[in-house]
Amino acid sequence: MTGELDLEERRALRRVAGLSTELTDVTEVEYRSLRLERVVLVGVWTEGTAETAENSLRELALLAETAGSEVLEGLVQRRSRPDPATYIGSGKAAELRDVVIATGADTVICDGELAPGQLRHLEETVQVKVIDRTALILDIFAQHAKSREGKAQVELAQLDYLMPRLRGWGGNLSRQVGGRAAGGVGIGGRGPGETKIELDRRRIRTRMAKLRRQIAEMSKSRDTKRGERRRNAVPAVAIAGYTNAGKSSLLNRLTGAGVLVDDALFATLDPTVRRAETPGGRTYTLADTVGFVRHLPHQLVEAFRSTLEEVTDAGLVLHVVDGSDADPEAQIDAVREVFREIGADRIPEMIVINKADAADDLSIARLQRREPNSVVVSARTGSGIEELRAAIDARLPGLECEVRALVPYERGDLVARVHEWGEVLKQEHTPEGTALHARVPAGLADELHPYEDLAAAT
C-alpha cells in the first residue's frame, strides 16, 4: 500500500538530538535554520477558561513533537492582551530565561504569531532561539510536503512569513555601493546602494513571484480534472476537518485508497481524489484535503488556496471531528472559521464524529445534541461506515431531473452513463432502443432530451 510505504519512509529518518552546534547567544548570527530539539512552550491566556488555554498549549506540544522536538516545560500567563514588546512582559521574560537555563532548553516556542519586534526583544532576553506557532506549523508542512506542488506551496508560505522578519547585524547592514565610493567606476551605481537585507528582500520577492506562477501552472491539471467531472455530472464530496481527526483513515475505509495514515498532526498534505459508490450504485468522487488547526497561518491558506478549492467546488463536505479530543467543539469552530475564509461555508456540510471506539459516550452524546444531523463512525474498526454511506447517498447533490427516454442502441454509452451517474427506476429493451425511466443530473438530462420525444411517440 502506498500509505504504508510513505509511513515507513517517514519513520526511517528522524532528527537526533544533540548532534548540532549552537551558539550561546543566537543574536551573533543573521540567518539560522529552524532546528527544534529541546523546547519550552509559553502561551498567553487572554480569553476563555483556563482549560481552553491548557488545551491550546497541549496542542502546541503535539505540534512541537511532530516537528521532532522534545518538550521540557509549558508555561501559561494570564494577561488581558499580549505585551507589544516581548509578548509576555519584561518581568515574565526574565523568569522565562531562568526556566530555559534550568531545563537546558535551546528553543522557546510561543503559542501565537509574534510580530517581528516581539520576536527580537524576547530573543534578546532569553538568549536562545524563539519561534512562534506559525513558524512551527510551517516547519511541519516543510517536512511533510511530498509533491512538487505541495513543496512549492509550503516554500511560498515560508517566504511570505520570512519577508517582514529578515534582520541582520554588523557588517551585514553595510551597503553595496558603487560610483565614486567604488573608485569612480560603475555607471548607474552612484548613491548609497542597497543593503544586504534589501538585496535579500528583492530576491525573496522574485522567488515568490516565480512560485506563484508555478503553482498557477500546476493547478491547471486539477482544474481540468474538476471540469471533466462537472461535464460528466459526477457529484463531488470533500473530506475536511481538523488535523489528525482521521480524514485519511476515513478515505481509506470508504474507497480503499491506501493513503498515508499516521497518528501525527498534518501527516498528509497533498489532496487525494478517489472514486466511490453509494449503496444504490451511484458513483461520486471523494477528496481528502489538508487538515486545519486553530489559528491556521494565513500564509498557508493563501498558498494552499488551489488545493482548498477541492472543498469549495464540492457538492457536499464531510466535516470530520475527533470525538475523543478534549475539546471537539473548539475543533469544529476552528474548521468552520477556515471554511468562511475560503468561501466554503455555503457548501452543504455533514458532521462525521470519528474515533467512536476511543471517545467517551457522554462526549459523543454532547456533540450529537449540538450537531443533530451528525453521523458517528470509527474509521479504525469500521463501525458506522454503512450508515455514513447511506447518509452520503441521501445528501448527494443532483438527480433533480426525472426523465423518460428511448435511447437508440448505437448510444449505448449514454445508457451506461445513466446507470453510472443516475438512478434507473425502470429499463426495458424494445426493437427501437432502450426505454429508460430514470432520475439524472441536469447536465445528463439535457443530453437525453432529444430522445424523450421518441419515448413519447412510442
Side-chain angles (χ1 to χ4, degrees):
M1 299 285 280
T2 305
E4 292 176 359
L5 294 175
D6 291 340
L7 186 59
E8 184 178 344
E9 177 185 349
R10 182 173 294 178
R11 289 177 174 170
L13 184 63
R14 290 289 187 185
R15 287 174 172 165
V16 180
L19 296 185
S20 59
T21 302
E22 183 75 12
L23 297 174
T24 304
D25 184 356
V26 297
T27 59
E28 294 175 14
V29 292
E30 178 182 7
Y31 302 111
R32 296 147 293 151
S33 59
L34 185 60
R35 181 181 60 78
L36 307 174
E37 288 187 358
R38 296 167 56 81
V39 304
V40 171
L41 312 178
V42 59
V44 173
W45 168 25
T46 58
E47 59 183 15
T49 63
E51 185 181 5
T52 301
E54 290 174 4
N55 286 338
S56 182
L57 207 66
R58 288 192 189 98
E59 182 177 89
L60 187 68
L62 290 174
L63 287 167
E65 290 168 0
T66 301
S69 65
E70 178 188 355
V71 178
L72 304 177
E73 188 71 76
L75 308 170
V76 177
Q77 185 199 9
R78 184 74 167 98
R79 293 180 65 95
S80 59
R81 62 185 179 87
D83 182 68
T86 60
Y87 182 65
I88 55 175
S90 56
K92 293 299 180 182
E95 292 181 24
L96 179 61
R97 170 63 179 164
D98 295 336
V99 172
V100 166
I101 293 173
T103 58
D106 54 38
T107 304
V108 170
I109 304 178
C110 296
D111 191 19
E113 183 167 340
L114 271 61
Q118 289 175 315
L119 194 67
R120 182 173 65 254
H121 290 142
L122 188 57
E123 208 165 62
E124 288 171 354
T125 302
V126 299
Q127 294 293 295
V128 295
K129 181 167 48 191
V130 176
I131 66 167
D132 58 18
R133 184 187 183 93
T134 299
L136 176 61
I137 293 174
L138 290 173
D139 181 68
I140 296 171
F141 270 60
Q143 291 183 52
H144 291 180
K146 289 188 60 180
S147 68
R148 181 166 168 258
E149 184 179 13
K151 290 177 180 178
Q153 289 168 327
V154 173
E155 185 182 354
L156 177 60
Q158 287 179 314
L159 291 176
D160 186 32
Y161 172 81
L162 176 64
M163 175 72 84
R165 292 168 175 81
L166 282 178
R167 46 188 163 145
W169 289 268
N172 288 314
L173 291 176
S174 62
R175 294 186 176 273
Q176 316 297 309
V177 298
R180 297 180 187 277
V185 295
I187 297 174
R190 295 176 179 81
E194 292 180 295
T195 62
K196 170 72 162 56
I197 199 169
E198 287 168 344
L199 286 170
D200 288 340
R201 282 177 180 151
R202 181 157 52 82
R203 292 191 184 103
I204 287 176
R205 282 192 291 267
T206 302
R207 177 62 178 164
M208 288 173 69
K210 183 178 180 181
L211 286 170
R212 287 192 178 100
R213 289 194 298 270
Q214 290 177 352
I215 292 171
E217 286 294 322
M218 287 183 282
S219 66
K220 287 181 180 178
S221 172
R222 191 180 296 112
D223 292 340
T224 301
K225 292 176 182 177
R226 275 200 297 263
E228 186 67 25
R229 294 199 294 267
R230 287 195 202 102
R231 281 192 295 275
N232 290 329
V234 184
V237 178
I239 300 178
Y242 213 77
T243 180
N244 205 30
K247 298 182 298 299
S248 297
S249 299
L250 191 62
L251 178 71
N252 289 343
R253 177 65 69 172
L254 289 171
T255 67
V259 298
L260 170 69
V261 172
D262 192 9
D263 185 16
L265 305 186
F266 301 113
T268 50
L269 302 182
D270 300 316
T272 303
V273 181
R274 290 292 185 270
R275 181 187 179 109
E277 283 191 0
T278 66
R282 188 181 177 197
T283 303
Y284 62 96
T285 61
L286 199 59
D288 184 18
T289 60
V290 63
F292 303 146
V293 73
R294 292 181 185 90
H295 313 301
L296 187 69
H298 68 89
Q299 296 93 342
L300 282 172
V301 174
E302 287 301 317
F304 279 75
R305 190 164 291 278
S306 61
T307 299
L308 294 174
E309 285 175 0
E310 294 290 353
V311 178
T312 58
D313 284 352
L316 175 66
V317 175
L318 300 185
H319 181 168
V320 183
V321 181
D322 181 357
S324 65
D325 187 78
D327 191 4
E329 291 88 354
Q331 289 191 357
I332 294 174
D333 294 338
V335 171
R336 285 175 173 165
E337 182 180 345
V338 179
F339 282 172
R340 287 190 291 271
E341 190 171 350
I342 65 176
D345 51 335
R346 55 182 174 77
I347 309 296
E349 173 194 35
M350 182 193 301
I351 293 288
V352 181
I353 304 171
N354 192 24
K355 304 187 181 181
D357 55 308
D360 179 72
D361 291 340
L362 291 176
S363 298
I364 295 290
R366 188 178 71 247
L367 281 173
Q368 286 182 304
R369 282 196 301 273
R370 171 177 163 149
E371 306 292 338
N373 297 320
S374 57
V375 180
V376 180
V377 304
S378 170
R380 188 177 69 85
T381 65
S383 170
I385 295 298
E386 292 309 314
E387 290 83 350
L388 176 60
R389 292 183 195 273
I392 294 173
D393 194 2
R395 296 283 299 275
L396 273 182
L399 301 188
E400 62 268 24
C401 300
E402 185 171 340
V403 297
R404 297 175 186 271
L406 182 62
V407 184
Y409 286 120
E410 59 267 22
R411 290 303 311 272
D413 61 308
L414 198 54
V415 175
R417 287 169 59 197
V418 171
H419 279 276
E420 189 171 5
W421 311 126
E423 180 184 357
V424 177
L425 303 176
K426 184 178 180 182
Q427 175 177 303
E428 183 180 352
H429 297 290
T430 69
E432 294 79 15
T434 304
L436 289 174
H437 178 201
R439 281 197 291 265
V440 296
L444 194 51
D446 291 340
E447 294 188 59
L448 289 167
H449 181 66
Y451 307 111
E452 288 186 273
D453 295 337
L454 293 176
T458 56

